[in-house]
Amino acid sequence: MAEPSLARLSALFFGFLLLLATYSWVPRLHSGLLSGTGVQKTLGPDPKLRVDHSSAKPHHPLDPLTVQEIERVRTILLDHEPGFGSGSATIHSMALDEPDKTLVVKWKKGNRLPSRRAEVLALSVGQSHVIVVDLDSGRVVSDVVNPTSGYPILTMDDLIVASQVALKSIEFNRSVEARGVKLSDLVALPTFTGWFGPEEEGRRILKVQCFTSQDTPNYFMRPIEGLYATVDMDKLEVIKIVDKGMVPIPKAAGTEYRYNVQNKPVHMDRINPISIEQPEGPSFLVEDGHLVKWANWVFHVKADHRAGIIISQATVRDSETAGEPRSVMYKGFPSELFVPYMDPGELWYYKSYLDAGEIGDVSWRHSEILIPNADIRESRPKVTLVARMATSVGNYDYTFDWEFQTDGLIRVTVAASGMLMVKGTPYENVDDLGDKEDDSGPLISENVIGVVHDHFITFHLDMDIDGPMNNSFVKVKKYVAKTEKDAQIKLSLYDPYEFHIVNPNRKSRLGNPAGYRIIPGGNAVSLLDHDDPPQIRGAFSNNQIWVTRYNRSEQFAGGVLVYQSHGDDTLQVWSDRDRSIENNDIVVWYTLGFHHIPCQEDYPVMPTVAASFELKPANFFESNPVIGVAPIFEKDLPVCRPFASS
């Protein structure tokens, strides 16, 4: 399986909802000196932080559904319509239907929680249902059938059943065995079809491709190229088998990645472990399982089966205003992930998935030698707090980091590692290719092509600078975007701009509007034509920055129903409505991306690649907010000294 979208893979996580609820799940947090190496004290499954989720109750309007609430939703749906009671309907996802933003913003701890509701995506007799269940009244208050094209996210059962259906096909098994592969070594994985026209219309289908795990755990490097089966998920039957003939299966030699199993000599000196600790204990606090307090930051964090990690109601205290907490962001999360592969062949064209210190930096420093009798060496350590989610999505592993700094900056980083999705080839050396070089990617090992592909992750950033209702998007200097189309931004190195989200009603003492700016990192653009079906569905990657008027139904850039959708409910569609966004409640969408042209160093596992962007204060504070932070002196820390040389 290649890297499916966060939207689709959410179904995989849903099957584990109750299992996760049995244990404490807190996004991993660590605070320490900002650096690229070292081990830092981490907040994760700390026994002191464990919660008995079987009896847990929500404490905040945005807290996820509890085990008891999930069970209550299930009970309510059993009586909703015959399909749910008889078992012919399936629930594909369930999550909190968040209260109206105005209610959440007004809510204070100790107040009664707003009405708790659940949103359920279900499938019944081939029809997609978007259902809202009111937990207080015990009623289904909304059931919209087929609101857009597409189907609910796939479940784990869907993926298992598709493989089982393919392996019941005598013709398919014969094709596998004809390649010298034992069925006991076969790994059959469904891949997602996308939507390309009539063949994918009116039925749910999955395509099943195969690998062999003989002599290796890294079966992704041993594809059975030239063979796949198409499965009708409603009729549970194979409707098409494509066999393009024999292609050599890459050898198992060199695919092993487990350290204790490898026999390779080590030519690198051992790097001793590094540990960074806070001797006086962690400086962050987690209240009620979801509310994080650290330094001058407070934010709500939760796991979501579709988005992964959601940061909500992030506020930062302002020392200039007696420690007043000021709103920065109402909600931020990875909204969709788009991974198109660049191979037009029959067995690859559809693979375009909609799927997040050692030396230490300083916040500031200065030494002064020109003032007589003054020994000035001032600095402040850059200590950051990171909320991290790591997830395995098919062959890829993604890490999403939200890094909060005391100067008000938020850095968002996405890192990808794991295994490539490779293609079998008869060639073992580039000299054998001649003029037949494979256009889909370079040769990275004997009989292995690394297919060129892209990664695009679009973030939903509901920025509320000093409140939700009076924000504007400014293309400095100083063009204020009036409508949504004004804010469709394609980044260009040769036409540089700064992009600010400002509250024109909150001015500094100098008259500047309080704001945050988006600082892009390295990026990429999709190479697909805008009329290509995968790009229509992944149209949120057409621009790197979008700004839309807030609408609580517009959360996921690929739409609510993504699987086999036509792209009729996407960020592009919403933005093209061209609503007014000036001095309004607005949402910023940032698309982070990188091209991946594989090379030999990506085999058998690839080193981590990462991309990031920043949200940085711009006239939000009256001056540098960390100037009053107390320094850390050498006496406060353990000292490491080198061993004496022999």
Side-chain angles (χ1 to χ4, degrees):
M1 189 193 321
E3 53 275 54
S5 68
L6 296 176
R8 296 174 182 171
L9 257 293
S10 60
L12 301 183
F13 300 128
F14 179 73
F16 299 107
L17 255 179
L18 290 178
L19 177 63
L20 287 174
T22 307
Y23 302 94
S24 175
W25 193 101
V26 180
R28 295 178 71 84
L29 300 171
H30 62 73
S31 65
L33 299 176
L34 177 62
S35 179
T37 59
V39 177
Q40 299 170 323
K41 282 293 186 181
T42 301
L43 169 64
D46 186 334
K48 296 178 182 178
L49 296 170
R50 288 192 182 277
V51 178
D52 180 7
H53 286 283
S54 63
S55 58
K57 295 181 180 180
H59 298 278
H60 186 281
L62 299 178
D63 281 357
L65 295 175
T66 65
V67 170
Q68 292 179 344
E69 289 175 327
I70 291 171
E71 289 290 352
R72 180 160 168 74
V73 172
R74 176 180 174 275
T75 301
I76 294 168
L77 289 179
L78 287 175
D79 296 328
H80 173 51
E81 65 169 42
F84 288 89
S86 66
S88 61
T90 55
I91 296 175
H92 286 240
S93 72
M94 183 190 303
L96 177 72
D97 182 46
E98 295 182 357
D100 285 337
K101 184 176 176 180
T102 54
L103 297 177
V104 177
V105 171
K106 292 178 181 178
W107 182 85
K108 304 295 182 185
K109 188 170 183 178
N111 293 354
R112 182 177 178 178
L113 290 176
S115 177
R116 298 279 289 178
R117 294 186 172 192
E119 182 183 72
V120 177
L121 301 185
L123 196 68
S124 180
V125 197
Q127 303 292 309
S128 300
H129 292 251
V130 180
I131 301 169
V132 177
V133 177
D134 187 289
L135 289 160
D136 293 343
S137 66
R139 295 186 305 108
V140 172
V141 295
S142 175
D143 184 352
V144 181
V145 180
N146 298 332
T148 64
S149 64
Y151 297 103
I153 51 187
L154 294 162
T155 66
M156 180 66 82
D157 283 346
D158 285 330
L159 304 182
I160 293 172
V161 167
S163 298
Q164 291 173 340
V165 170
L167 294 176
K168 288 179 182 178
S169 166
I170 296 175
E171 180 185 353
F172 191 70
N173 287 347
R174 284 175 178 167
S175 295
V176 171
E177 291 174 328
R179 289 164 164 81
V181 176
K182 297 178 181 178
L183 293 180
S184 59
D185 292 328
L186 189 69
V187 179
L189 295 178
T191 56
F192 309 117
T193 60
W195 177 80
F196 292 89
E199 185 177 341
E200 290 85 15
E201 196 73 60
R203 56 184 176 184
R204 290 196 311 149
I205 57 176
L206 278 171
K207 296 186 179 182
V208 178
Q209 69 175 107
C210 295
F211 306 81
T212 176
S213 62
Q214 182 183 13
D215 300 327
T216 181
N218 193 356
Y219 53 83
F220 286 112
M221 295 301 109
R222 302 202 70 197
I224 300 175
E225 195 62 47
L227 174 68
Y228 76 81
T230 302
V231 175
D232 186 312
M233 295 302 296
D234 298 318
K235 296 181 179 179
L236 297 181
E237 64 183 21
V238 174
I239 58 176
K240 184 179 182 181
I241 294 175
V242 173
D243 188 341
K244 291 290 188 179
M246 304 293 183
V247 176
I249 298 173
K251 296 179 176 62
T255 63
E256 181 60 71
Y257 54 82
R258 294 171 296 177
Y259 179 79
N260 292 333
V261 181
Q262 295 180 49
N263 295 316
K264 291 185 176 181
V266 177
H267 298 293
M268 183 183 296
D269 291 338
R270 182 177 186 269
I271 299 173
N272 291 333
I274 298 171
S275 177
I276 295 177
E277 299 181 351
Q278 288 184 281
E280 299 177 17
S283 50
F284 53 79
L285 176 67
V286 181
E287 290 185 356
D288 300 324
H290 296 282
L291 193 67
V292 179
K293 297 181 177 180
W294 174 79
N296 49 349
W297 284 100
V298 177
F299 58 89
H300 184 276
V301 61
K302 68 178 176 183
D304 180 82
H305 69 286
R306 178 166 177 173
I309 185 172
I310 296 178
I311 306 292
S312 300
Q313 289 198 291
T315 64
V316 62
R317 288 201 309 275
D318 188 347
S319 58
E320 296 284 341
T321 54
E324 172 197 0
R326 295 175 62 187
S327 169
V328 173
M329 182 174 70
Y330 178 75
K331 190 176 181 181
F333 60 92
S335 177
E336 191 56 271
L337 192 156
F338 178 39
V339 186
Y341 281 81
M342 308 303 176
D343 189 319
E346 183 177 2
L347 278 72
W348 278 85
Y349 75 90
Y350 59 89
K351 292 183 180 179
S352 52
Y353 301 95
L354 292 175
D355 296 339
E358 187 173 2
I359 57 172
D361 285 345
V362 293
S363 290
W364 66 273
R365 74 170 306 280
H366 180 63
S367 297
E368 182 60 70
I369 61 174
L370 296 180
I371 299 178
N373 303 317
D375 182 15
I376 298 177
R377 293 183 179 88
E378 283 285 311
S379 69
R380 301 294 186 270
K382 177 161 282 190
V383 181
T384 73
L385 181 75
V386 179
R388 167 173 291 179
M389 181 200 74
T391 180
S392 294
V393 187
N395 54 302
Y396 265 101
D397 293 80
Y398 288 98
T399 302
F400 294 84
D401 283 354
W402 292 79
E403 179 185 321
F404 295 84
Q405 300 187 10
T406 51
D407 58 4
L409 182 141
I410 302 173
R411 177 181 291 120
V412 182
T413 302
V414 180
S417 185
M419 289 82 167
L420 294 172
M421 177 57 67
V422 301
K423 177 181 179 181
T425 177
Y427 302 104
E428 296 188 353
N429 191 286
V430 292
D431 293 335
D432 300 331
L433 289 167
D435 296 331
K436 301 177 182 178
E437 184 171 356
D438 196 303
D439 292 334
S440 64
L443 193 71
I444 61 171
S445 186
E446 290 82 358
N447 305 117
V448 179
I449 293 289
V451 180
V452 174
H453 58 285
D454 293 332
H455 298 256
F456 299 105
I457 303 95
T458 295
F459 283 83
H460 173 114
L461 304 167
D462 185 355
M463 303 296 290
D464 283 359
I465 307 301
D466 283 318
M469 298 308 298
N470 303 108
N471 283 198
S472 296
F473 179 73
V474 180
K475 185 177 177 181
V476 179
K477 307 200 180 186
K478 282 187 176 181
Y479 175 74
V480 178
K482 306 293 185 184
T483 66
E484 290 171 316
K485 286 187 177 180
D486 289 341
Q488 294 180 358
I489 304 295
K490 290 179 171 61
L491 298 177
S492 172
L493 291 174
Y494 298 97
D495 188 22
Y497 281 91
E498 282 207 351
F499 306 100
H500 291 205
I501 306 99
V502 303
N503 186 331
N505 303 298
R506 176 79 180 240
K507 301 288 183 68
S508 72
R509 71 178 190 278
L510 301 179
N512 292 311
Y516 261 67
R517 59 185 169 210
I518 303 173
I519 301 179
N523 216 316
V525 298
S526 178
L527 302 178
L528 299 180
D529 190 279
H530 282 199
D531 294 328
D532 195 323
Q535 190 63 34
I536 293 173
R537 299 174 69 234
F540 46 84
S541 64
N542 288 341
N543 299 300
Q544 289 74 55
I545 297 175
W546 310 71
V547 182
T548 60
R549 188 165 179 165
Y550 173 80
N551 184 320
R552 71 188 302 267
S553 68
E554 297 173 3
Q555 299 283 319
F556 296 100
V560 174
L561 303 175
V562 174
Y563 187 59
Q564 292 182 239
S565 73
H566 301 180
D568 51 351
D569 181 32
T570 67
L571 175 57
Q572 179 79 63
V573 173
W574 309 332
S575 176
D576 284 345
R577 293 170 183 159
D578 209 23
R579 295 162 292 191
S580 172
I581 58 173
E582 185 181 9
N583 207 16
N584 219 311
D585 190 359
I586 59 177
V587 176
V588 178
W589 308 75
Y590 182 83
T591 301
L592 172 157
F594 45 90
H595 300 304
H596 192 170
I597 301 174
C599 58
Q600 289 178 212
E601 287 80 2
D602 291 329
Y603 179 91
V605 296
M606 55 170 283
T608 299
V609 294
S612 65
F613 67 95
E614 295 178 348
L615 301 170
K616 187 174 183 179
N619 305 312
F620 186 84
F621 299 104
E622 295 292 351
S623 62
N624 186 339
V626 298
I627 197 168
V629 174
I632 297 174
F633 299 100
E634 185 174 338
K635 65 181 178 61
D636 299 318
L637 299 170
V639 178
C640 291
R641 292 185 174 87
F643 289 109
S645 58
S646 56

